[in-house]
PDB file of all heavy atoms in Angstrom:
ATOM      1  N   GLY A 265      20.180  -5.436 -10.550  1.00 97.00           N
ATOM      2  CA  GLY A 265      21.303  -5.454 -11.401  1.00 97.00           C
ATOM      3  C   GLY A 265      20.904  -5.550 -12.937  1.00 97.00           C
ATOM      4  O   GLY A 265      21.670  -5.007 -13.721  1.00 97.00           O
ATOM      5  N   SER A 266      19.763  -6.145 -13.146  1.00 96.00           N
ATOM      6  CA  SER A 266      19.492  -6.468 -14.584  1.00 96.00           C
ATOM      7  C   SER A 266      17.957  -6.595 -14.750  1.00 96.00           C
ATOM      8  O   SER A 266      17.375  -7.597 -14.318  1.00 96.00           O
ATOM      9  CB  SER A 266      20.228  -7.767 -15.098  1.00 96.00           C
ATOM     10  OG  SER A 266      19.775  -8.053 -16.345  1.00 96.00           O
ATOM     11  N   VAL A 267      17.293  -5.604 -15.177  1.00 97.00           N
ATOM     12  CA  VAL A 267      15.970  -5.445 -15.235  1.00 97.00           C
ATOM     13  C   VAL A 267      15.299  -6.237 -16.364  1.00 97.00           C
ATOM     14  O   VAL A 267      16.079  -6.401 -17.326  1.00 97.00           O
ATOM     15  CB  VAL A 267      15.299  -4.056 -15.157  1.00 97.00           C
ATOM     16  CG1 VAL A 267      15.660  -3.374 -13.770  1.00 97.00           C
ATOM     17  CG2 VAL A 267      15.868  -3.158 -16.329  1.00 97.00           C
ATOM     18  N   GLN A 268      14.157  -6.715 -16.216  1.00 97.00           N
ATOM     19  CA  GLN A 268      13.496  -7.479 -17.303  1.00 97.00           C
ATOM     20  C   GLN A 268      12.194  -6.710 -17.744  1.00 97.00           C
ATOM     21  O   GLN A 268      11.587  -5.880 -16.876  1.00 97.00           O
ATOM     22  CB  GLN A 268      13.015  -8.867 -16.901  1.00 97.00           C
ATOM     23  CG  GLN A 268      14.195  -9.593 -16.379  1.00 97.00           C
ATOM     24  CD  GLN A 268      15.333  -9.725 -17.421  1.00 97.00           C
ATOM     25  OE1 GLN A 268      15.053 -10.159 -18.607  1.00 97.00           O
ATOM     26  NE2 GLN A 268      16.624  -9.579 -17.177  1.00 97.00           N
ATOM     27  N   VAL A 269      11.592  -7.038 -18.808  1.00 97.00           N
ATOM     28  CA  VAL A 269      10.388  -6.284 -19.255  1.00 97.00           C
ATOM     29  C   VAL A 269       9.298  -6.437 -18.263  1.00 97.00           C
ATOM     30  O   VAL A 269       8.433  -5.620 -17.899  1.00 97.00           O
ATOM     31  CB  VAL A 269       9.949  -6.788 -20.595  1.00 97.00           C
ATOM     32  CG1 VAL A 269       8.572  -6.290 -20.936  1.00 97.00           C
ATOM     33  CG2 VAL A 269      11.020  -6.499 -21.672  1.00 97.00           C
ATOM     34  N   SER A 270       9.274  -7.689 -17.670  1.00 96.00           N
ATOM     35  CA  SER A 270       8.264  -8.087 -16.524  1.00 96.00           C
ATOM     36  C   SER A 270       8.338  -7.196 -15.355  1.00 96.00           C
ATOM     37  O   SER A 270       7.491  -7.195 -14.519  1.00 96.00           O
ATOM     38  CB  SER A 270       8.270  -9.608 -16.278  1.00 96.00           C
ATOM     39  OG  SER A 270       9.643  -9.945 -15.777  1.00 96.00           O
ATOM     40  N   ASP A 271       9.484  -6.460 -15.153  1.00 97.00           N
ATOM     41  CA  ASP A 271       9.632  -5.640 -14.002  1.00 97.00           C
ATOM     42  C   ASP A 271       8.888  -4.209 -14.157  1.00 97.00           C
ATOM     43  O   ASP A 271       8.870  -3.459 -13.192  1.00 97.00           O
ATOM     44  CB  ASP A 271      11.150  -5.361 -13.682  1.00 97.00           C
ATOM     45  CG  ASP A 271      11.751  -6.510 -13.254  1.00 97.00           C
ATOM     46  OD1 ASP A 271      11.217  -7.449 -12.581  1.00 97.00           O
ATOM     47  OD2 ASP A 271      12.936  -6.695 -13.647  1.00 97.00           O
ATOM     48  N   SER A 272       8.328  -4.050 -15.356  1.00 97.00           N
ATOM     49  CA  SER A 272       7.596  -2.788 -15.562  1.00 97.00           C
ATOM     50  C   SER A 272       6.403  -2.751 -14.627  1.00 97.00           C
ATOM     51  O   SER A 272       5.602  -3.604 -14.574  1.00 97.00           O
ATOM     52  CB  SER A 272       7.024  -2.697 -17.045  1.00 97.00           C
ATOM     53  OG  SER A 272       8.141  -2.669 -17.879  1.00 97.00           O
ATOM     54  N   ALA A 273       6.428  -1.647 -13.768  1.00 96.00           N
ATOM     55  CA  ALA A 273       5.390  -1.554 -12.688  1.00 96.00           C
ATOM     56  C   ALA A 273       5.612  -0.128 -11.983  1.00 96.00           C
ATOM     57  O   ALA A 273       6.447   0.534 -12.362  1.00 96.00           O
ATOM     58  CB  ALA A 273       5.478  -2.707 -11.653  1.00 96.00           C
ATOM     59  N   VAL A 274       4.740   0.125 -11.007  1.00 94.00           N
ATOM     60  CA  VAL A 274       4.935   1.206 -10.141  1.00 94.00           C
ATOM     61  C   VAL A 274       5.412   0.708  -8.841  1.00 94.00           C
ATOM     62  O   VAL A 274       4.936  -0.145  -8.350  1.00 94.00           O
ATOM     63  CB  VAL A 274       3.743   2.071  -9.976  1.00 94.00           C
ATOM     64  CG1 VAL A 274       3.948   3.209  -9.047  1.00 94.00           C
ATOM     65  CG2 VAL A 274       3.002   2.477 -11.244  1.00 94.00           C
ATOM     66  N   TYR A 275       6.548   1.378  -8.349  1.00 96.00           N
ATOM     67  CA  TYR A 275       7.213   0.994  -7.101  1.00 96.00           C
ATOM     68  C   TYR A 275       6.983   1.980  -6.046  1.00 96.00           C
ATOM     69  O   TYR A 275       7.159   3.257  -6.239  1.00 96.00           O
ATOM     70  CB  TYR A 275       8.787   0.715  -7.391  1.00 96.00           C
ATOM     71  CG  TYR A 275       8.929  -0.484  -8.269  1.00 96.00           C
ATOM     72  CD1 TYR A 275       8.880  -0.297  -9.636  1.00 96.00           C
ATOM     73  CD2 TYR A 275       9.128  -1.697  -7.695  1.00 96.00           C
ATOM     74  CE1 TYR A 275       9.078  -1.412 -10.498  1.00 96.00           C
ATOM     75  CE2 TYR A 275       9.412  -2.805  -8.451  1.00 96.00           C
ATOM     76  CZ  TYR A 275       9.387  -2.603  -9.892  1.00 96.00           C
ATOM     77  OH  TYR A 275       9.522  -3.750 -10.784  1.00 96.00           O
ATOM     78  N   PHE A 276       6.720   1.489  -4.940  1.00 95.00           N
ATOM     79  CA  PHE A 276       6.269   2.448  -3.718  1.00 95.00           C
ATOM     80  C   PHE A 276       7.145   2.102  -2.558  1.00 95.00           C
ATOM     81  O   PHE A 276       7.311   1.008  -2.200  1.00 95.00           O
ATOM     82  CB  PHE A 276       4.860   2.220  -3.265  1.00 95.00           C
ATOM     83  CG  PHE A 276       3.825   2.824  -4.231  1.00 95.00           C
ATOM     84  CD1 PHE A 276       3.315   1.868  -5.248  1.00 95.00           C
ATOM     85  CD2 PHE A 276       3.313   3.970  -4.201  1.00 95.00           C
ATOM     86  CE1 PHE A 276       2.285   2.281  -6.144  1.00 95.00           C
ATOM     87  CE2 PHE A 276       2.370   4.459  -5.023  1.00 95.00           C
ATOM     88  CZ  PHE A 276       1.858   3.575  -6.052  1.00 95.00           C
ATOM     89  N   CYS A 277       7.840   3.136  -2.108  1.00 96.00           N
ATOM     90  CA  CYS A 277       8.498   3.116  -0.818  1.00 96.00           C
ATOM     91  C   CYS A 277       7.698   3.405   0.333  1.00 96.00           C
ATOM     92  O   CYS A 277       6.829   4.307   0.095  1.00 96.00           O
ATOM     93  CB  CYS A 277       9.747   3.991  -0.862  1.00 96.00           C
ATOM     94  SG  CYS A 277      10.859   4.000   0.604  1.00 96.00           S
ATOM     95  N   ALA A 278       7.879   2.701   1.526  1.00 93.00           N
ATOM     96  CA  ALA A 278       6.869   3.107   2.643  1.00 93.00           C
ATOM     97  C   ALA A 278       7.661   2.835   3.923  1.00 93.00           C
ATOM     98  O   ALA A 278       8.655   2.097   3.998  1.00 93.00           O
ATOM     99  CB  ALA A 278       5.767   2.186   2.489  1.00 93.00           C
ATOM    100  N   LEU A 279       7.160   3.545   4.863  1.00 91.00           N
ATOM    101  CA  LEU A 279       7.754   3.300   6.333  1.00 91.00           C
ATOM    102  C   LEU A 279       6.462   3.030   7.156  1.00 91.00           C
ATOM    103  O   LEU A 279       5.438   3.571   6.985  1.00 91.00           O
ATOM    104  CB  LEU A 279       8.590   4.446   6.751  1.00 91.00           C
ATOM    105  CG  LEU A 279       7.968   5.806   6.853  1.00 91.00           C
ATOM    106  CD1 LEU A 279       7.335   5.980   8.309  1.00 91.00           C
ATOM    107  CD2 LEU A 279       9.072   6.891   6.919  1.00 91.00           C
ATOM    108  N   SER A 280       6.827   2.396   8.380  1.00 86.00           N
ATOM    109  CA  SER A 280       5.857   2.061   9.352  1.00 86.00           C
ATOM    110  C   SER A 280       6.112   3.083  10.469  1.00 86.00           C
ATOM    111  O   SER A 280       7.223   3.570  10.865  1.00 86.00           O
ATOM    112  CB  SER A 280       6.023   0.819   9.936  1.00 86.00           C
ATOM    113  OG  SER A 280       7.181   0.626  10.665  1.00 86.00           O
ATOM    114  N   ASP A 281       5.017   3.710  10.855  1.00 70.00           N
ATOM    115  CA  ASP A 281       5.056   4.717  12.011  1.00 70.00           C
ATOM    116  C   ASP A 281       5.498   4.085  13.316  1.00 70.00           C
ATOM    117  O   ASP A 281       4.879   3.292  13.674  1.00 70.00           O
ATOM    118  CB  ASP A 281       3.670   5.403  12.201  1.00 70.00           C
ATOM    119  CG  ASP A 281       3.629   6.439  13.072  1.00 70.00           C
ATOM    120  OD1 ASP A 281       4.529   6.606  13.871  1.00 70.00           O
ATOM    121  OD2 ASP A 281       2.698   7.293  13.130  1.00 70.00           O
ATOM    122  N   PRO A 282       6.679   4.474  13.688  1.00 59.00           N
ATOM    123  CA  PRO A 282       7.190   3.721  14.944  1.00 59.00           C
ATOM    124  C   PRO A 282       6.403   4.066  16.175  1.00 59.00           C
ATOM    125  O   PRO A 282       6.435   3.307  17.103  1.00 59.00           O
ATOM    126  CB  PRO A 282       8.619   4.201  15.019  1.00 59.00           C
ATOM    127  CG  PRO A 282       8.664   5.586  14.314  1.00 59.00           C
ATOM    128  CD  PRO A 282       7.717   5.409  13.184  1.00 59.00           C
ATOM    129  N   GLN A 283       5.690   5.253  16.150  1.00 60.00           N
ATOM    130  CA  GLN A 283       4.812   5.635  17.309  1.00 60.00           C
ATOM    131  C   GLN A 283       3.432   5.122  17.152  1.00 60.00           C
ATOM    132  O   GLN A 283       2.672   4.772  18.093  1.00 60.00           O
ATOM    133  CB  GLN A 283       4.931   7.084  17.547  1.00 60.00           C
ATOM    134  CG  GLN A 283       6.375   7.576  17.819  1.00 60.00           C
ATOM    135  CD  GLN A 283       6.425   9.097  18.113  1.00 60.00           C
ATOM    136  OE1 GLN A 283       5.570   9.721  17.464  1.00 60.00           O
ATOM    137  NE2 GLN A 283       7.315   9.563  18.902  1.00 60.00           N
ATOM    138  N   GLY A 284       3.079   5.165  15.876  1.00 57.00           N
ATOM    139  CA  GLY A 284       1.549   4.849  15.608  1.00 57.00           C
ATOM    140  C   GLY A 284       1.310   3.348  15.499  1.00 57.00           C
ATOM    141  O   GLY A 284       0.159   2.974  15.344  1.00 57.00           O
TER     142      GLY A 284
END
Side-chain angles (χ1 to χ4, degrees):
Chain A
S266 177
V267 294
Q268 305 300 311
V269 173
S270 57
D271 293 327
S272 297
V274 181
Y275 293 82
F276 293 90
C277 185
L279 65 80
S280 66
D281 183 344
Q283 295 179 332

